[in-house]
């Protein structure tokens, strides 16, 4: 049986993710659990920020590492931003955009400094506590990422009910 999230009639989720397979899995799995979700997908830092500025959402699912621009047949997407997720959270903080955010990443560490997921979680909670909820390690061969995501989305739903 599918659950209905009660944040509003339709729950609008923005996914900023450059890996089409990963975003498809996230959407497919969430749609299998909940019946009232709509998704807007963006594939780069620039398009994600533009969407945040111009539209309203109930939840943001965000990759940490993104290309600057959309990748297409004519463009490689520009520079890969290892900390794009953090940069987007910073942009949200500066523009006072309040949106619960879950980071879903395929990397166990980030940047030349090799910041671990655990260290990144601490940094993000400290600086972006108004928006940042959690960081989840994604692996297509594991179910734990989806169990964690489903639990977090359910908890967010419950917290908005009260």
């Amino acid at each position: 049986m599918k659950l209905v999230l009660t944040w509003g009639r339709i729950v609008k989720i923005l996914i900023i993710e450059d890996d089409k397979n990963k975003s498809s899995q996230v959407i497919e799995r969430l749609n299998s659990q909940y019946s009232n979700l709509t998704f807007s997908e963006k594939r780069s830092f620039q398009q994600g920020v533009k969407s945040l500025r111009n539209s309203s959402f109930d939840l943001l699912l965000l990759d940490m590492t993104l290309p600057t621009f959309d990748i297409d047949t004519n463009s490689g997407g520009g520079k890969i931003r290892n900390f794009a997720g953090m940069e987007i959270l910073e942009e949200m903080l500066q523009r006072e955009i309040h949106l619960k955010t879950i980071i879903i990443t395929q990397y166990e560490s980030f940047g030349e400094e090799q910041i671990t997921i655990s260290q990144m979680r601490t940094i993000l909670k400290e600086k972006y506590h108004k928006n940042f909820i959690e960081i989840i390690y994604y692996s297509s061969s594991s179910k734990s990422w989806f169990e964690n995501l489903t639990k977090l989305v359910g908890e967010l739903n419950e917290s908005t009910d009260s």
Side-chain angles (χ1 to χ4, degrees), residues 41-54:
E41 293 179 79
K42 300 300 173 190
R43 303 259 178 243
S44 66
F45 174 84
Q46 290 292 336
Q47 289 302 310
V49 168
K50 182 178 176 183
S51 193
L52 284 167
R53 289 180 188 161
N54 298 324

Side-chain angles (χ1 to χ4, degrees), residues 11-62:
V11 177
K12 293 171 56 178
I13 299 175
L14 174 61
I15 297 180
I16 305 175
E17 169 62 60
D18 60 317
D19 183 322
K20 290 180 184 179
N21 180 53
K22 184 174 148 191
S23 62
S24 293
Q25 277 197 8
V26 168
I27 290 168
E28 180 182 307
R29 302 258 178 113
L30 284 175
N31 274 331
S32 75
Q33 295 292 309
Y34 302 105
S35 62
N36 61 327
L37 307 179
T38 61
F39 295 90
S40 177
E41 293 179 79
K42 300 300 173 190
R43 303 259 178 243
S44 66
F45 174 84
Q46 290 292 336
Q47 289 302 310
V49 168
K50 182 178 176 183
S51 193
L52 284 167
R53 289 180 188 161
N54 298 324
S55 301
S56 168
F57 299 96
D58 299 303
L59 178 64
L60 171 59
L61 302 178
L62 177 61

Side-chain angles (χ1 to χ4, degrees), residues 7-150:
W7 295 342
R9 296 178 126 226
I10 299 294
V11 177
K12 293 171 56 178
I13 299 175
L14 174 61
I15 297 180
I16 305 175
E17 169 62 60
D18 60 317
D19 183 322
K20 290 180 184 179
N21 180 53
K22 184 174 148 191
S23 62
S24 293
Q25 277 197 8
V26 168
I27 290 168
E28 180 182 307
R29 302 258 178 113
L30 284 175
N31 274 331
S32 75
Q33 295 292 309
Y34 302 105
S35 62
N36 61 327
L37 307 179
T38 61
F39 295 90
S40 177
E41 293 179 79
K42 300 300 173 190
R43 303 259 178 243
S44 66
F45 174 84
Q46 290 292 336
Q47 289 302 310
V49 168
K50 182 178 176 183
S51 193
L52 284 167
R53 289 180 188 161
N54 298 324
S55 301
S56 168
F57 299 96
D58 299 303
L59 178 64
L60 171 59
L61 302 178
L62 177 61
D63 193 8
M64 180 59 77
T65 303
L66 294 163
T68 300
F69 305 102
D70 284 359
I71 297 172
D72 60 30
T73 53
N74 300 321
S75 147
K79 178 183 169 202
I80 294 293
R81 298 165 96 114
N82 291 323
F83 297 99
M86 188 183 306
E87 292 176 58
I88 288 172
L89 284 166
E90 182 64 32
E91 180 82 14
M92 292 165 62
L93 179 68
Q94 297 300 318
R95 293 184 173 271
E96 297 184 359
I97 296 170
H98 303 288
L99 179 60
K100 297 300 180 194
T101 303
I102 299 170
I103 293 180
I104 305 173
T105 183
Q106 296 180 83
Y107 295 106
E108 295 183 68
S109 61
F110 308 94
E112 292 176 17
E113 305 87 0
Q114 294 296 299
I115 298 170
T116 66
I117 285 180
S118 179
Q119 292 167 322
M120 182 61 71
R121 179 180 292 114
T122 301
I123 293 165
L124 296 174
K125 277 185 180 179
E126 184 177 301
K127 187 158 186 187
Y128 306 107
H129 60 275
K130 288 185 179 179
N131 288 330
F132 175 74
I133 301 299
E134 185 58 89
I135 186 168
I136 296 173
Y137 174 67
Y138 167 90
S139 170
S140 61
S141 63
S142 170
K143 289 183 180 179
S144 64
W145 71 268
F146 177 65
E147 292 165 357
N148 291 338
L149 179 60
T150 303

